Amino acid sequence: MSENLLKESKREYLETPLPEYLKYDGWRDLRVKLEPRGWSLWGMAFKRGVVFLAAALFFLGSLVGVAQAAKPGDKLYTVKVLADKIFAQVTGNYEVKVQRRAAEVIETSRSNESTRAADRANREYQKALDEAKVKAVGSGKRENFKKILERQEEKFKKESESNDQTKERLDDVIKQTEKVKDEIQNISPAEDSKLPNL
Amino acid sequence: MCLMDNLSVLVARAQRGDKDAFGELYQLFYRKIYRYCLIHTNDIQLAQDICQETFVRAWKAMPSFSEKNGGTFQAFLFKIARNQLIDNSRKKKESRLADYQNLEDRENLEERVYRHDAIDKVRKALGKLNEIERQIITLHYFEDFSGEEIARVVGMNEGAVRVRTHRVLVKLKEILQAEE
């Protein structure tokens, strides 16, 4: 019985009468509501662009976040250095870069990191020093930068004295720091203008 | 050129922004979408509105439609219609069951003209099923959709749809027998 009822209801369903409106005016009314495809294509492309940009920013942000824990020699260390470089260029604060590279030099010298990692840390510290020197001289912040270098030198020496293992590794960076400090001190105002702008 | 090829051509033209091609698609499918909306809303005016809105949304979403991996334009349209029905149901904050059971309260003259006994009884029985079960029955039994098409509309995998279809049909027959 229920089989027959289902069959009958299917027949009635398929014969559902259409309202007059849909039959005669449905498409005419609908047509005017349809936006030109060009606009909707642009709209869709724009939406996709925004989604892609948001995803890219999220990915980059996460990458930079994770890279903050990277040490010299790690694969993500380059990302960390690059992020610091961009931060320094945007804010004009090159001293922070020096401080962070110096902290890495101390860290690698303390641990039993490979010579390669220590060398990389030293190289990056030297680069940061050179860049910060040029910027400090160019912006007239020599005194401030000199103080930072003095504090940094002090930290290196303290670390060097406390641990024989780190002494050898830190001697080089102490010399580098002293050299830059002397250069800043001895630079004449006339020479300031000759320094290249980074 | 067979009907499916012709349909693909119309879809491709509509995707490029050809409103006339979309008009032909409308003529091919509006009857199906309307009766599908009507059986689920039991309200001619509402079914008409949802039917029209389905085509407006389909037009907007046309560029994202693809026939790859077995997608059909019919399933694409019904999926939009189903989402509209769900949205409408949420907006009204009325239970679907009440809609199906209180048929007499909602009847208007036009409805009385077309309504027949068999479909009314089945509609009442459908009211005792949940939303997914109602969709499966309507698409499988009334619209003769393939398992793959139903899966696309209701967002389940094909295997699960097959199992569910069999169970729901048995359940519906039991409900109908109990009411006789």
Side-chain angles (χ1 to χ4, degrees):
Chain A
M1 184 65 187
S2 60
E3 282 286 350
N4 291 338
L5 189 65
L6 274 171
K7 274 181 194 165
E8 181 60 17
S9 68
K10 182 172 180 179
R11 191 187 60 75
E12 287 174 9
Y13 174 83
L14 295 174
E15 288 171 3
T16 302
L18 284 168
E20 300 289 299
Y21 167 75
L22 279 186
K23 253 197 275 184
Y24 302 110
D25 301 319
W27 169 243
R28 196 196 61 197
D29 283 0
L30 187 75
R31 191 186 169 102
V32 294
K33 288 183 191 167
L34 305 179
E35 292 169 4
R37 173 69 71 233
W39 284 110
S40 54
L41 277 178
W42 276 112
M44 188 169 281
F46 179 74
K47 274 184 204 165
R48 283 185 183 175
V50 169
V51 169
F52 176 77
L53 199 67
L57 282 176
F58 178 75
F59 173 75
L60 271 178
S62 307
L63 187 70
V64 170
V66 172
Q68 294 312 300
K71 292 174 187 173
D74 290 350
K75 281 179 185 169
L76 285 178
Y77 182 68
T78 311
V79 177
K80 183 184 182 181
V81 171
L82 189 68
D84 285 347
K85 189 174 181 175
I86 294 168
F87 174 79
Q89 277 177 352
V90 171
T91 62
N93 187 349
Y94 283 80
E95 291 85 0
V96 170
K97 210 175 150 188
V98 172
Q99 287 166 330
R100 294 192 70 180
R101 296 295 86 84
E104 284 161 7
V105 168
I106 293 174
E107 208 179 322
T108 46
S109 67
R110 268 184 205 159
S111 62
N112 289 326
E113 300 278 352
S114 65
T115 319
R116 211 173 139 191
D119 286 350
R120 176 84 196 264
N122 287 7
R123 273 203 313 277
E124 291 299 335
Y125 177 68
Q126 180 65 55
K127 268 195 222 169
L129 271 183
D130 292 342
E131 278 179 33
K133 180 182 75 181
V134 174
K135 283 290 166 185
V137 172
S139 61
K141 289 180 183 173
R142 277 191 292 178
E143 278 308 309
N144 185 38
F145 186 49
K146 202 179 121 192
K147 279 178 194 164
I148 289 171
L149 290 180
E150 278 167 359
R151 279 202 297 274
Q152 210 53 67
E153 194 181 344
E154 212 172 294
K155 279 185 192 171
F156 286 141
K157 282 180 179 167
K158 203 173 161 188
E159 182 67 28
S160 172
E161 283 159 12
S162 67
N163 190 343
D164 283 344
Q165 187 194 332
T166 62
K167 195 175 186 320
E168 196 184 330
R169 282 181 175 184
L170 289 175
D171 277 351
D172 277 350
V173 284
I174 292 170
K175 278 178 199 162
Q176 286 169 8
T177 312
E178 278 173 348
K179 192 183 160 204
V180 172
K181 205 174 70 182
D182 291 344
E183 281 171 2
I184 280 195
Q185 215 161 6
N186 299 330
I187 206 160
S188 68
E191 282 174 299
D192 284 5
S193 56
K194 290 177 192 168
L195 288 162
N197 282 324
L198 284 180
Chain B
M1 192 182 274
C2 77
L3 183 68
M4 288 311 285
D5 287 342
N6 199 11
L7 188 64
S8 296
V9 171
L10 287 175
V11 168
R13 277 172 54 200
Q15 284 183 308
R16 289 194 296 270
D18 185 337
K19 286 187 183 179
D20 291 332
F22 192 70
E24 288 185 50
L25 290 170
Y26 177 87
Q27 297 303 336
L28 283 172
F29 289 101
Y30 84 96
R31 182 184 292 269
K32 282 185 165 207
I33 296 294
Y34 168 73
R35 68 190 181 202
Y36 169 77
C37 294
L38 184 63
I39 200 173
H40 288 291
T41 59
N42 191 37
D43 182 326
I44 289 176
Q45 187 57 50
L46 187 58
Q48 248 177 211
D49 293 346
I50 294 176
C51 176
Q52 293 293 83
E53 187 57 28
T54 296
F55 282 95
V56 171
R57 293 193 180 208
W59 171 257
K60 282 183 188 165
M62 280 301 282
S64 66
F65 169 70
S66 168
E67 286 180 335
K68 280 178 190 168
N69 304 319
T72 65
F73 185 68
Q74 177 170 254
F76 168 75
L77 271 183
F78 274 78
K79 187 172 184 176
I80 296 172
R82 184 202 170 207
N83 289 337
Q84 293 289 299
L85 289 166
I86 293 171
D87 284 352
N88 179 69
S89 170
R90 281 190 197 129
K91 273 181 206 161
K92 286 199 304 180
K93 293 183 180 172
E94 286 172 8
S95 78
R96 182 66 68 181
L97 187 63
D99 280 355
Y100 281 84
Q101 286 175 338
N102 301 327
L103 285 177
E104 296 305 315
D105 301 339
R106 299 166 60 90
E107 263 189 356
N108 60 33
L109 192 62
E110 206 172 358
E111 281 172 303
R112 281 180 211 276
V113 172
Y114 87 86
R115 182 161 289 140
H116 302 283
D117 282 348
I119 201 157
D120 276 355
K121 282 176 186 166
V122 172
R123 192 185 279 116
K124 278 184 184 174
L126 285 174
K128 292 179 180 167
L129 304 175
N130 65 35
E131 196 268 337
I132 288 269
E133 290 172 334
R134 280 198 295 273
Q135 297 290 340
I136 289 174
I137 285 291
T138 317
L139 297 172
H140 168 80
Y141 191 78
F142 292 105
E143 290 291 351
D144 292 322
F145 269 36
S146 67
E148 192 180 350
E149 280 182 310
I150 297 172
R152 282 181 183 273
V153 177
V154 300
M156 290 167 72
N157 72 54
E158 206 181 330
V161 165
R162 277 208 196 98
V163 173
R164 200 98 181 249
T165 303
H166 177 71
R167 281 187 200 152
V168 178
L169 259 176
V170 170
K171 191 174 169 182
L172 182 67
K173 283 174 186 171
E174 283 170 1
I175 295 169
L176 288 171
Q177 273 170 354
E179 285 184 356
E180 275 164 16

